[in-house]
Amino acid sequence: MNTNILYYHSVCPKSRFVRILMQELDFEAEIKIEEYWKFRDNFLKINPAGDLPILVTKNEKTNKPQIITGIFAIFEYVIHHRQNNFLIDQNQYNMAEVRRLIEWCTVKMYNEVTMPLINEKIICYYRKDNSPNSQIIRNAKHNLNFHLEYLSMLLSENDWVAGNKISAADLFFASHISTLDYLGEISWPNYQTLKHWYMLIKSRPSFRNILNEKITGFAPSNSYELLDF
Amino acid sequence: MNTNILYYHSVCPKSRFVRILMQELDFEAEIKIEEYWKFRDNFLKINPAGDLPILVTKNEKTNKPQIITGIFAIFEYVIHHRQNNFLIDQNQYNMAEVRRLIEWCTVKMYNEVTMPLINEKIICYYRKDNSPNSQIIRNAKHNLNFHLEYLSMLLSENDWVAGNKISAADLFFASHISTLDYLGEISWPNYQTLKHWYMLIKSRPSFRNILNEKITGFAPSNSYELLDF
């Protein structure tokens, strides 16, 4: 039996990232789907922040379940258990750039783009308690351009977002982009450099589960599952 | 000459944290004041996110200046250079809790409370380009209660926010609280447990510079500098 459990939902790009990271690093975990917008009591007890992902692992000393929440805590925990792998650069300055970009995406892109679009387009529909706010959607779409341009700029300087090697930062941005792409939010013809980069990431076996999965009630955009789009 | 430079401003709680962390860990850096709201071209070149703090260090291999931005990148870099110290627990689960709380404070408390209050109360005044938005201030004050209650709850379960030992998470929350306290935003009589904890942190020598520093144009609240308040 697997001792690691990943609380996960496919609408959550941070959940997607951890699932992909774990697959890339052969870190096994059982996937448990959590409809996090329902704020189950037991879920809030595990994570008062009320969001995903959550990793439950077995404490090596006490053998009891150990809860790890927060994308930075999970990221550092997973890479701590997988030293000397291709995603984790031993160069501390490269790692600083990877962490900077994960923070950029978590603090800026998620708040300004991904979370509002997910909330207004999907969570509103699931909750049925209010209708989408079109002003919020417009702002998020506007902000999206800024972030895609920033990513394109990074990719015009290097092969990958954090330098000349693929890193966890690429997987993190690609996870956010995959959610937005599912919703048909990315005008790919405007972002050729980004498109080429995303095609490369999409082709990785670690991405397959994500691309095959459906978000209940929503059909993916036409090119979502295509590796060559 | 010092090889490390910390771009800093006392209105920025994340800057305060890094300064305190460095002092606690004997990690020396020259302090350079950056009025980050002016978005100087050269500052944006160093950090396109346009915020503080920024650590410039000397690359050990190339001897060239190396820029580290983002609170997670700087935190991990500094603790990487100070292994086996009292703030950095070798227990990975305790460290996961420290990282979770730093993320909570960075993503939630900063966005919902500290940043809007700083922007509306101080940055608006400095920029002189628009008047404070009272609705934003009201929302931030409302959210502040929620975060102070969450901290109080953590402190009712343990001596320190991340367990029974002081950690970087205590210093991080205290840095945010110190900015809010300067502005007189904390009703201490409502938060006795928190007050006791903050008194202990305030008494640490690493906090002295922060408490003696003035934010131009703003007088600190009456009890701001008092260790016993």
Side-chain angles (χ1 to χ4, degrees):
Chain A
M1 210 190 85
N2 212 315
T3 51
N4 299 316
I5 298 169
L6 177 68
Y7 284 82
Y8 169 95
H9 200 284
S10 58
V11 305
C12 165
K14 294 184 289 179
S15 295
R16 290 179 174 219
F17 165 68
V18 173
R19 187 173 183 182
I20 290 164
L21 183 74
M22 286 175 164
Q23 192 138 349
E24 289 278 357
L25 303 184
D26 292 325
F27 185 108
E28 292 191 3
E30 182 192 339
I31 304 284
K32 276 205 183 174
I33 307 294
E34 175 69 40
E35 296 179 325
Y36 63 96
W37 58 89
K38 291 186 174 170
F39 297 133
R40 281 194 307 123
D41 280 351
N42 281 337
F43 169 60
L44 288 182
K45 268 184 212 152
I46 295 178
N47 182 18
D51 62 6
L52 291 173
I54 300 171
L55 172 63
V56 181
T57 183
K58 198 165 75 178
N59 189 304
E60 285 161 13
K61 281 186 186 155
T62 64
N63 257 342
K64 288 183 182 162
Q66 183 80 42
I67 294 159
I68 300 175
T69 62
I71 200 70
F72 283 94
I74 296 176
F75 172 62
E76 299 293 338
Y77 181 86
V78 170
I79 67 173
H80 175 84
H81 282 79
R82 292 293 184 275
Q83 292 290 332
N84 301 316
N85 70 69
F86 72 104
L87 284 173
I88 314 311
D89 206 303
Q90 296 306 308
N91 179 315
Q92 57 189 325
Y93 307 111
N94 293 2
M95 278 306 288
E97 178 67 356
V98 169
R99 291 190 179 103
R100 174 183 85 86
L101 290 169
I102 293 181
E103 182 173 338
W104 175 293
C105 192
T106 302
V107 175
K108 293 176 90 72
M109 186 165 162
Y110 186 63
N111 275 325
E112 295 171 4
V113 181
T114 330
M115 185 173 57
L117 284 175
I118 291 169
N119 282 352
E120 299 306 315
K121 292 197 144 190
I122 305 177
I123 307 299
C124 264
Y125 169 83
Y126 285 164
R127 277 201 180 139
K128 297 183 175 64
D129 54 6
N130 45 13
S131 47
N133 180 319
S134 57
Q135 182 63 46
I136 293 178
I137 293 177
R138 257 198 309 278
N139 288 348
K141 282 173 185 273
H142 174 78
N143 294 335
L144 172 60
N145 293 323
F146 171 71
H147 288 283
L148 297 183
E149 274 160 26
Y150 182 57
L151 275 181
S152 301
M153 194 271 281
L154 292 173
L155 291 169
S156 70
E157 291 172 353
N158 292 301
D159 292 344
W160 301 92
V161 296
N164 282 319
K165 276 174 58 187
I166 189 170
S167 75
D170 294 286
L171 302 180
F172 199 59
F173 274 108
S175 302
H176 282 67
I177 290 205
S178 72
T179 310
L180 297 167
D181 189 38
Y182 190 102
L183 295 170
E185 290 295 341
I186 316 242
S187 308
W188 288 113
N190 299 339
Y191 298 102
Q192 285 302 322
T193 314
L194 201 66
K195 181 177 168 175
H196 183 70
W197 163 86
Y198 186 54
M199 276 167 68
L200 286 173
I201 302 213
K202 238 177 151 173
S203 309
R204 299 181 77 83
S206 63
F207 241 71
R208 203 162 300 145
N209 286 326
I210 305 291
L211 296 177
N212 288 338
E213 204 172 31
K214 297 287 180 293
I215 297 175
T216 315
F218 295 84
S221 64
N222 288 338
S223 64
Y224 178 73
E225 288 158 87
L226 302 177
L227 297 185
D228 193 0
F229 60 103
Chain B
M1 209 190 88
N2 212 315
T3 51
N4 298 316
I5 297 168
L6 177 67
Y7 285 81
Y8 170 94
H9 201 284
S10 58
V11 305
C12 165
K14 293 184 288 179
S15 295
R16 290 179 174 220
F17 165 67
V18 173
R19 187 173 182 182
I20 290 164
L21 183 74
M22 287 175 164
Q23 193 139 348
E24 290 277 359
L25 304 184
D26 291 325
F27 186 107
E28 290 190 3
E30 182 192 339
I31 304 285
K32 276 206 182 173
I33 307 295
E34 176 69 39
E35 297 180 323
Y36 63 95
W37 57 89
K38 291 185 173 169
F39 297 133
R40 281 192 306 123
D41 280 352
N42 281 337
F43 169 61
L44 288 181
K45 267 183 212 153
I46 295 178
N47 182 17
D51 62 6
L52 291 174
I54 301 171
L55 172 63
V56 182
T57 183
K58 198 165 76 178
N59 190 304
E60 285 161 13
K61 281 188 186 154
T62 65
N63 256 342
K64 288 183 183 162
Q66 184 78 42
I67 294 159
I68 300 176
T69 63
I71 200 70
F72 283 94
I74 296 176
F75 172 62
E76 299 292 338
Y77 180 86
V78 171
I79 68 173
H80 175 83
H81 282 78
R82 292 293 184 275
Q83 291 289 332
N84 300 317
N85 70 69
F86 72 103
L87 285 172
I88 314 311
D89 206 303
Q90 296 305 306
N91 179 314
Q92 59 189 324
Y93 307 111
N94 294 1
M95 278 306 288
E97 178 66 355
V98 169
R99 291 189 179 104
R100 174 183 84 85
L101 289 170
I102 292 181
E103 182 172 338
W104 175 293
C105 191
T106 302
V107 175
K108 292 178 90 72
M109 186 165 161
Y110 186 64
N111 275 326
E112 296 171 4
V113 182
T114 330
M115 185 173 57
L117 284 174
I118 291 170
N119 283 351
E120 299 306 316
K121 293 197 143 191
I122 304 177
I123 307 299
C124 264
Y125 169 81
Y126 285 162
R127 278 200 180 139
K128 297 183 174 63
D129 55 7
N130 46 14
S131 47
N133 181 319
S134 57
Q135 183 63 47
I136 293 179
I137 292 177
R138 258 198 308 279
N139 287 347
K141 281 173 185 272
H142 174 78
N143 293 336
L144 172 60
N145 294 322
F146 171 70
H147 288 281
L148 296 183
E149 274 160 25
Y150 182 57
L151 274 181
S152 300
M153 194 271 281
L154 291 173
L155 291 169
S156 70
E157 291 172 352
N158 292 299
D159 293 343
W160 302 92
V161 296
N164 283 318
K165 276 173 58 186
I166 190 169
S167 76
D170 293 286
L171 302 180
F172 199 58
F173 274 108
S175 303
H176 282 66
I177 290 209
S178 72
T179 310
L180 298 167
D181 189 38
Y182 190 102
L183 295 170
E185 290 294 342
I186 317 241
S187 309
W188 289 113
N190 299 339
Y191 298 101
Q192 285 301 323
T193 314
L194 201 65
K195 182 176 167 175
H196 183 70
W197 163 85
Y198 187 52
M199 276 166 68
L200 286 173
I201 302 213
K202 238 178 151 173
S203 309
R204 299 180 78 82
S206 63
F207 241 70
R208 203 164 298 146
N209 286 326
I210 305 293
L211 296 177
N212 288 336
E213 205 172 30
K214 296 288 178 295
I215 297 175
T216 315
F218 295 84
S221 64
N222 289 337
S223 65
Y224 178 72
E225 289 158 86
L226 303 177
L227 297 185
D228 193 0
F229 59 103

CSV table of all heavy atoms in Angstrom, one decimal, chain A residues 93 95-101 103-104 150, chain B residues 7 43-56 66-75 77:
chain,number,residue,atom,x,y,z
A,93,TYR,N,22.4,29.2,-7.2
A,93,TYR,CA,21.9,30.4,-7.8
A,93,TYR,C,20.8,30.0,-8.8
A,93,TYR,O,19.8,30.7,-9.0
A,93,TYR,CB,23.0,31.2,-8.5
A,93,TYR,CG,24.1,31.5,-7.5
A,93,TYR,CD1,25.4,30.9,-7.7
A,93,TYR,CD2,23.9,32.4,-6.5
A,93,TYR,CE1,26.4,31.2,-6.8
A,93,TYR,CE2,24.9,32.6,-5.6
A,93,TYR,CZ,26.1,32.0,-5.7
A,93,TYR,OH,27.1,32.3,-4.8
A,95,MET,N,18.9,27.4,-8.4
A,95,MET,CA,17.8,27.0,-7.6
A,95,MET,C,17.0,28.3,-7.1
A,95,MET,O,15.8,28.3,-7.0
A,95,MET,CB,18.2,26.2,-6.4
A,95,MET,CG,18.3,24.7,-6.8
A,95,MET,SD,16.8,24.0,-7.5
A,95,MET,CE,15.7,23.9,-6.1
A,96,ALA,N,17.8,29.4,-6.8
A,96,ALA,CA,17.2,30.6,-6.4
A,96,ALA,C,16.3,31.1,-7.5
A,96,ALA,O,15.2,31.7,-7.3
A,96,ALA,CB,18.3,31.6,-6.1
A,97,GLU,N,16.7,31.0,-8.8
A,97,GLU,CA,15.9,31.4,-9.9
A,97,GLU,C,14.6,30.6,-10.0
A,97,GLU,O,13.5,31.1,-10.3
A,97,GLU,CB,16.7,31.4,-11.2
A,97,GLU,CG,16.0,31.8,-12.5
A,97,GLU,CD,15.6,33.3,-12.5
A,97,GLU,OE1,15.8,34.0,-11.6
A,97,GLU,OE2,15.0,33.6,-13.6
A,98,VAL,N,14.8,29.3,-9.8
A,98,VAL,CA,13.6,28.4,-9.9
A,98,VAL,C,12.6,28.8,-8.8
A,98,VAL,O,11.4,28.9,-9.0
A,98,VAL,CB,14.1,26.9,-9.7
A,98,VAL,CG1,12.9,26.0,-9.4
A,98,VAL,CG2,14.9,26.4,-10.9
A,99,ARG,N,13.1,29.0,-7.6
A,99,ARG,CA,12.2,29.4,-6.5
A,99,ARG,C,11.6,30.8,-6.7
A,99,ARG,O,10.4,31.0,-6.4
A,99,ARG,CB,13.0,29.5,-5.2
A,99,ARG,CG,13.4,28.1,-4.7
A,99,ARG,CD,14.0,28.1,-3.3
A,99,ARG,NE,14.3,26.8,-2.8
A,99,ARG,CZ,15.6,26.3,-2.8
A,99,ARG,NH1,16.6,27.1,-3.1
A,99,ARG,NH2,15.8,25.0,-2.4
A,100,ARG,N,12.4,31.7,-7.3
A,100,ARG,CA,11.8,33.0,-7.6
A,100,ARG,C,10.6,32.9,-8.6
A,100,ARG,O,9.6,33.5,-8.4
A,100,ARG,CB,12.9,33.9,-8.3
A,100,ARG,CG,12.3,35.3,-8.8
A,100,ARG,CD,13.4,36.1,-9.5
A,100,ARG,NE,13.5,35.7,-10.9
A,100,ARG,CZ,12.8,36.2,-11.9
A,100,ARG,NH1,11.9,37.1,-11.7
A,100,ARG,NH2,13.0,35.8,-13.2
A,101,LEU,N,10.8,32.0,-9.6
A,101,LEU,CA,9.7,31.9,-10.6
A,101,LEU,C,8.5,31.1,-10.1
A,101,LEU,O,7.4,31.5,-10.4
A,101,LEU,CB,10.3,31.2,-11.9
A,101,LEU,CG,11.3,32.1,-12.6
A,101,LEU,CD1,12.0,31.3,-13.7
A,101,LEU,CD2,10.5,33.3,-13.3
A,103,GLU,N,7.6,31.4,-7.0
A,103,GLU,CA,6.9,32.4,-6.2
A,103,GLU,C,6.2,33.4,-7.1
A,103,GLU,O,5.0,33.8,-6.8
A,103,GLU,CB,7.9,33.2,-5.4
A,103,GLU,CG,7.3,34.2,-4.5
A,103,GLU,CD,8.2,34.9,-3.5
A,103,GLU,OE1,9.3,34.2,-3.1
A,103,GLU,OE2,7.9,36.0,-3.0
A,104,TRP,N,6.8,33.8,-8.2
A,104,TRP,CA,6.1,34.7,-9.2
A,104,TRP,C,4.8,34.1,-9.6
A,104,TRP,O,3.7,34.8,-9.6
A,104,TRP,CB,7.0,34.9,-10.4
A,104,TRP,CG,6.4,35.7,-11.5
A,104,TRP,CD1,5.3,35.4,-12.3
A,104,TRP,CD2,6.8,37.1,-11.9
A,104,TRP,NE1,5.0,36.4,-13.2
A,104,TRP,CE2,5.9,37.4,-13.0
A,104,TRP,CE3,7.8,37.9,-11.5
A,104,TRP,CZ2,6.0,38.7,-13.6
A,104,TRP,CZ3,7.8,39.2,-12.2
A,104,TRP,CH2,7.0,39.5,-13.2
A,150,TYR,N,5.8,38.0,-20.3
A,150,TYR,CA,7.0,37.9,-19.4
A,150,TYR,C,7.6,36.5,-19.6
A,150,TYR,O,8.8,36.4,-19.8
A,150,TYR,CB,6.6,38.1,-17.9
A,150,TYR,CG,7.8,37.9,-17.0
A,150,TYR,CD1,8.9,38.8,-17.2
A,150,TYR,CD2,7.8,37.0,-16.0
A,150,TYR,CE1,10.0,38.7,-16.3
A,150,TYR,CE2,8.9,36.9,-15.2
A,150,TYR,CZ,10.0,37.7,-15.4
A,150,TYR,OH,11.1,37.6,-14.5
B,7,TYR,N,18.8,45.2,-0.7
B,7,TYR,CA,17.9,46.3,-1.0
B,7,TYR,C,16.7,46.2,-0.1
B,7,TYR,O,16.0,45.1,-0.1
B,7,TYR,CB,17.5,46.2,-2.5
B,7,TYR,CG,18.6,46.6,-3.4
B,7,TYR,CD1,19.6,45.7,-3.8
B,7,TYR,CD2,18.6,47.9,-4.0
B,7,TYR,CE1,20.6,46.1,-4.6
B,7,TYR,CE2,19.6,48.3,-4.8
B,7,TYR,CZ,20.6,47.4,-5.2
B,7,TYR,OH,21.6,47.7,-6.0
B,43,PHE,N,16.0,49.4,-11.0
B,43,PHE,CA,15.4,48.5,-10.0
B,43,PHE,C,14.6,47.4,-10.7
B,43,PHE,O,14.7,46.3,-10.3
B,43,PHE,CB,14.6,49.4,-9.0
B,43,PHE,CG,13.8,48.6,-8.0
B,43,PHE,CD1,14.4,47.6,-7.2
B,43,PHE,CD2,12.4,48.7,-8.0
B,43,PHE,CE1,13.6,46.9,-6.3
B,43,PHE,CE2,11.6,48.0,-7.1
B,43,PHE,CZ,12.2,47.1,-6.3
B,44,LEU,N,13.8,47.9,-11.6
B,44,LEU,CA,12.9,46.9,-12.3
B,44,LEU,C,13.8,45.9,-13.2
B,44,LEU,O,13.4,44.8,-13.4
B,44,LEU,CB,11.9,47.6,-13.2
B,44,LEU,CG,10.8,48.3,-12.5
B,44,LEU,CD1,9.8,49.0,-13.5
B,44,LEU,CD2,10.0,47.3,-11.6
B,45,LYS,N,14.9,46.4,-13.6
B,45,LYS,CA,15.8,45.5,-14.3
B,45,LYS,C,16.3,44.4,-13.4
B,45,LYS,O,16.5,43.2,-13.8
B,45,LYS,CB,17.0,46.2,-14.9
B,45,LYS,CG,16.8,46.7,-16.3
B,45,LYS,CD,18.0,47.4,-16.9
B,45,LYS,CE,17.5,48.4,-17.9
B,45,LYS,NZ,18.5,49.5,-18.0
B,46,ILE,N,16.6,44.8,-12.1
B,46,ILE,CA,17.1,43.8,-11.2
B,46,ILE,C,15.9,42.8,-10.8
B,46,ILE,O,16.1,41.6,-10.7
B,46,ILE,CB,17.6,44.5,-9.9
B,46,ILE,CG1,18.9,45.3,-10.2
B,46,ILE,CG2,17.9,43.5,-8.8
B,46,ILE,CD1,19.4,46.0,-9.0
B,47,ASN,N,14.7,43.4,-10.5
B,47,ASN,CA,13.6,42.6,-10.2
B,47,ASN,C,12.3,43.1,-10.9
B,47,ASN,O,11.6,44.0,-10.4
B,47,ASN,CB,13.4,42.7,-8.6
B,47,ASN,CG,12.2,41.8,-8.2
B,47,ASN,OD1,11.8,40.9,-9.0
B,47,ASN,ND2,11.7,42.0,-7.0
B,48,PRO,N,12.0,42.4,-12.0
B,48,PRO,CA,10.8,42.8,-12.7
B,48,PRO,C,9.5,42.7,-11.9
B,48,PRO,O,8.5,43.3,-12.3
B,48,PRO,CB,10.7,41.8,-13.9
B,48,PRO,CG,11.7,40.7,-13.6
B,48,PRO,CD,12.7,41.3,-12.6
B,49,ALA,N,9.5,42.0,-10.8
B,49,ALA,CA,8.3,42.0,-9.9
B,49,ALA,C,8.1,43.3,-9.2
B,49,ALA,O,7.0,43.6,-8.7
B,49,ALA,CB,8.4,40.8,-8.9
B,50,GLY,N,9.1,44.1,-9.2
B,50,GLY,CA,9.0,45.5,-8.6
B,50,GLY,C,8.8,45.5,-7.1
B,50,GLY,O,8.3,46.5,-6.6
B,51,ASP,N,9.2,44.5,-6.4
B,51,ASP,CA,9.1,44.5,-5.0
B,51,ASP,C,10.4,44.2,-4.3
B,51,ASP,O,11.4,43.8,-4.9
B,51,ASP,CB,7.9,43.7,-4.5
B,51,ASP,CG,8.0,42.3,-4.8
B,51,ASP,OD1,9.1,41.8,-5.3
B,51,ASP,OD2,7.1,41.5,-4.5
B,52,LEU,N,10.4,44.3,-3.0
B,52,LEU,CA,11.5,44.1,-2.1
B,52,LEU,C,11.2,42.8,-1.3
B,52,LEU,O,10.1,42.3,-1.3
B,52,LEU,CB,11.7,45.2,-1.2
B,52,LEU,CG,12.2,46.5,-1.8
B,52,LEU,CD1,12.2,47.7,-0.8
B,52,LEU,CD2,13.6,46.4,-2.4
B,53,PRO,N,12.3,42.2,-0.7
B,53,PRO,CA,13.7,42.6,-0.7
B,53,PRO,C,14.4,42.0,-1.9
B,53,PRO,O,13.9,41.1,-2.5
B,53,PRO,CB,14.2,42.0,0.6
B,53,PRO,CG,13.3,40.8,0.8
B,53,PRO,CD,12.0,41.1,0.2
B,54,ILE,N,15.6,42.5,-2.1
B,54,ILE,CA,16.5,41.9,-3.1
B,54,ILE,C,17.9,41.7,-2.4
B,54,ILE,O,18.4,42.6,-1.7
B,54,ILE,CB,16.7,42.8,-4.3
B,54,ILE,CG1,15.4,43.1,-5.0
B,54,ILE,CG2,17.7,42.2,-5.3
B,54,ILE,CD1,15.4,44.1,-6.1
B,55,LEU,N,18.4,40.5,-2.6
B,55,LEU,CA,19.8,40.2,-2.1
B,55,LEU,C,20.7,40.2,-3.2
B,55,LEU,O,20.5,39.4,-4.2
B,55,LEU,CB,19.8,38.9,-1.3
B,55,LEU,CG,21.1,38.4,-0.8
B,55,LEU,CD1,21.8,39.4,0.2
B,55,LEU,CD2,21.0,37.0,-0.2
B,56,VAL,N,21.8,41.0,-3.2
B,56,VAL,CA,22.8,40.9,-4.2
B,56,VAL,C,24.0,40.3,-3.5
B,56,VAL,O,24.5,40.9,-2.5
B,56,VAL,CB,23.2,42.2,-4.9
B,56,VAL,CG1,24.2,42.0,-5.9
B,56,VAL,CG2,21.9,42.8,-5.5
B,66,GLN,N,25.5,38.5,-7.9
B,66,GLN,CA,24.5,37.5,-8.2
B,66,GLN,C,23.2,38.0,-7.5
B,66,GLN,O,23.2,38.3,-6.3
B,66,GLN,CB,24.9,36.2,-7.7
B,66,GLN,CG,23.9,35.0,-7.9
B,66,GLN,CD,24.1,34.5,-9.4
B,66,GLN,OE1,25.2,34.4,-9.8
B,66,GLN,NE2,23.0,34.3,-10.0
B,67,ILE,N,22.1,38.2,-8.3
B,67,ILE,CA,20.9,38.7,-7.8
B,67,ILE,C,20.0,37.6,-7.3
B,67,ILE,O,19.7,36.7,-8.1
B,67,ILE,CB,20.2,39.6,-8.8
B,67,ILE,CG1,21.1,40.8,-9.1
B,67,ILE,CG2,18.8,40.0,-8.4
B,67,ILE,CD1,20.8,41.5,-10.5
B,68,ILE,N,19.5,37.8,-6.1
B,68,ILE,CA,18.5,36.8,-5.6
B,68,ILE,C,17.2,37.5,-5.2
B,68,ILE,O,17.3,38.4,-4.3
B,68,ILE,CB,19.1,36.0,-4.4
B,68,ILE,CG1,20.3,35.2,-4.9
B,68,ILE,CG2,18.1,35.0,-3.9
B,68,ILE,CD1,21.1,34.5,-3.9
B,69,THR,N,16.1,37.2,-5.8
B,69,THR,CA,14.9,37.9,-5.5
B,69,THR,C,13.8,36.9,-5.1
B,69,THR,O,13.9,35.7,-5.5
B,69,THR,CB,14.3,38.8,-6.6
B,69,THR,OG1,14.0,38.0,-7.7
B,69,THR,CG2,15.3,39.9,-7.0
B,70,GLY,N,12.8,37.4,-4.5
B,70,GLY,CA,11.7,36.5,-4.0
B,70,GLY,C,12.0,36.0,-2.6
B,70,GLY,O,13.1,35.6,-2.3
B,71,ILE,N,11.0,36.1,-1.8
B,71,ILE,CA,11.2,35.8,-0.3
B,71,ILE,C,11.7,34.3,-0.1
B,71,ILE,O,12.5,34.0,0.7
B,71,ILE,CB,10.0,36.2,0.5
B,71,ILE,CG1,10.4,36.4,2.0
B,71,ILE,CG2,8.8,35.3,0.4
B,71,ILE,CD1,11.3,37.6,2.2
B,72,PHE,N,11.1,33.4,-0.9
B,72,PHE,CA,11.5,32.0,-0.7
B,72,PHE,C,12.9,31.7,-1.2
B,72,PHE,O,13.6,31.0,-0.5
B,72,PHE,CB,10.5,31.1,-1.5
B,72,PHE,CG,9.2,31.0,-0.7
B,72,PHE,CD1,8.2,31.8,-1.0
B,72,PHE,CD2,9.1,30.1,0.4
B,72,PHE,CE1,7.0,31.8,-0.2
B,72,PHE,CE2,8.0,30.0,1.1
B,72,PHE,CZ,6.9,30.9,0.8
B,73,ALA,N,13.3,32.3,-2.3
B,73,ALA,CA,14.7,32.1,-2.8
B,73,ALA,C,15.7,32.7,-1.8
B,73,ALA,O,16.7,32.1,-1.4
B,73,ALA,CB,14.8,32.8,-4.1
B,74,ILE,N,15.4,33.9,-1.3
B,74,ILE,CA,16.3,34.5,-0.3
B,74,ILE,C,16.4,33.7,1.0
B,74,ILE,O,17.4,33.4,1.5
B,74,ILE,CB,15.9,36.0,0.0
B,74,ILE,CG1,16.1,36.8,-1.3
B,74,ILE,CG2,16.8,36.6,1.1
B,74,ILE,CD1,15.6,38.3,-1.2
B,75,PHE,N,15.2,33.3,1.5
B,75,PHE,CA,15.1,32.5,2.7
B,75,PHE,C,16.0,31.2,2.6
B,75,PHE,O,16.8,30.9,3.4
B,75,PHE,CB,13.7,32.2,3.0
B,75,PHE,CG,13.5,31.2,4.2
B,75,PHE,CD1,13.9,31.5,5.4
B,75,PHE,CD2,12.9,30.0,4.0
B,75,PHE,CE1,13.8,30.7,6.5
B,75,PHE,CE2,12.7,29.1,5.0
B,75,PHE,CZ,13.2,29.4,6.3
B,77,TYR,N,18.3,30.5,0.4
B,77,TYR,CA,19.7,30.8,0.2
B,77,TYR,C,20.4,31.1,1.6
B,77,TYR,O,21.5,30.6,1.9
B,77,TYR,CB,19.8,32.0,-0.7
B,77,TYR,CG,21.3,32.4,-1.0
B,77,TYR,CD1,22.0,31.8,-2.0
B,77,TYR,CD2,21.9,33.4,-0.2
B,77,TYR,CE1,23.3,32.1,-2.2
B,77,TYR,CE2,23.3,33.7,-0.4
B,77,TYR,CZ,24.0,33.1,-1.5
B,77,TYR,OH,25.3,33.4,-1.7
